[in-house]
């Protein structure tokens, strides 16, 4: 055990511990926060892109998820930035890239066709919509 004899040294050690604890809390918040991600394979209502007939999508090198036209699936991701890989069943070249989930968003929707065409693939999604009475 280290003994600090002076009051000034004791105060510096206490301040250093407080700063260290806040740093640990900030890191745990940034890297430990999980998000609900809905994966969507539907066409754009405005016609900007069409749904993909069949593909697999994987996040951060995890197990791929099969998606067909009109499918929607849900996963939980931890952290803000994720590597995405889309592989097509028709032999088309794979598409890879990254998505960033906004920090304070609990749920987002990722559109596979928008990701493949290079458009903004991440959009806000209200998980529990309030009911009007």
């Amino acid at each position: 055990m280290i003994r600090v004899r002076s009051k000034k040294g004791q105060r510096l050690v206490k301040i250093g511990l407080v700063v260290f604890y806040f740093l640990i809390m900030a890191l745990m918040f940034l890297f430990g926060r999980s998000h609900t991600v809905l994966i969507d394979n539907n066409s754009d209502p405005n016609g900007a892109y069409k749904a993909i007939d069949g593909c697999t999508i994987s996040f951060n090198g995890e197990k791929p998820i099969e998606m067909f036209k009109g499918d929607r699936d849900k996963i939980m991701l931890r952290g803000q930035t994720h590597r995405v890989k889309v592989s097509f069943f028709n032999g088309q070249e794979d598409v890879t890239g990254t998505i960033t989930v906004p920090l304070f968003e609990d749920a987002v929707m990722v559109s596979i066709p928008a990701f493949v065409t290079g458009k903004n693939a991440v959009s806000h999604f209200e998980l529990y919509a309030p009911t009007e009475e």
Side-chain angles (χ1 to χ4, degrees), residues 66 86 99 112 133:
E66 284 188 356
V86 178
I99 61 166
I112 299 173
E133 293 181 23

Side-chain angles (χ1 to χ4, degrees), residues 29-41:
F29 177 75
L30 288 176
F31 295 114
R33 181 167 168 79
S34 62
H35 305 274
T36 302
V37 177
L38 295 170
I39 309 165
D40 185 48
N41 189 13

Side-chain angles (χ1 to χ4, degrees), residues 13-74:
V13 168
K14 288 178 183 178
I15 290 171
L17 283 173
V18 169
V19 169
F20 177 72
Y21 286 141
F22 276 115
L23 181 64
I24 293 291
M25 287 182 352
L27 289 174
M28 293 300 292
F29 177 75
L30 288 176
F31 295 114
R33 181 167 168 79
S34 62
H35 305 274
T36 302
V37 177
L38 295 170
I39 309 165
D40 185 48
N41 189 13
N42 288 314
S43 298
D44 181 54
N46 301 327
Y49 48 80
K50 294 190 181 286
I52 299 168
D53 289 328
C55 66
T56 61
I57 184 168
S58 66
F59 292 86
N60 301 321
E62 299 278 328
K63 180 181 171 189
I65 301 168
E66 284 188 356
M67 301 290 289
F68 293 96
K69 192 178 222 176
D71 280 353
R72 186 177 278 180
D73 204 350
K74 179 182 94 165

Side-chain angles (χ1 to χ4, degrees), residues 82-101:
H82 306 282
R83 292 182 323 274
V84 181
K85 179 179 179 183
V86 178
S87 301
F88 301 94
F89 293 158
N90 63 3
Q92 188 178 344
E93 188 174 327
D94 295 351
V95 175
T96 58
T98 60
I99 61 166
T100 302
V101 178

Side-chain angles (χ1 to χ4, degrees), residues 4-5 12 15 19 21 24 27 36 43-44 51 55 59 65 70 75-77 80 97 102 108 110 113 115 119-120 122:
V4 180
R5 290 193 160 75
L12 286 175
I15 290 171
V19 169
Y21 286 141
I24 293 291
L27 289 174
T36 302
S43 298
D44 181 54
C55 66
F59 292 86
I65 301 168
I75 61 171
M76 297 293 286
L77 292 177
Q80 303 308 120
V108 294
V110 175
F115 177 78
K119 295 183 173 37
N120 184 15
V122 178

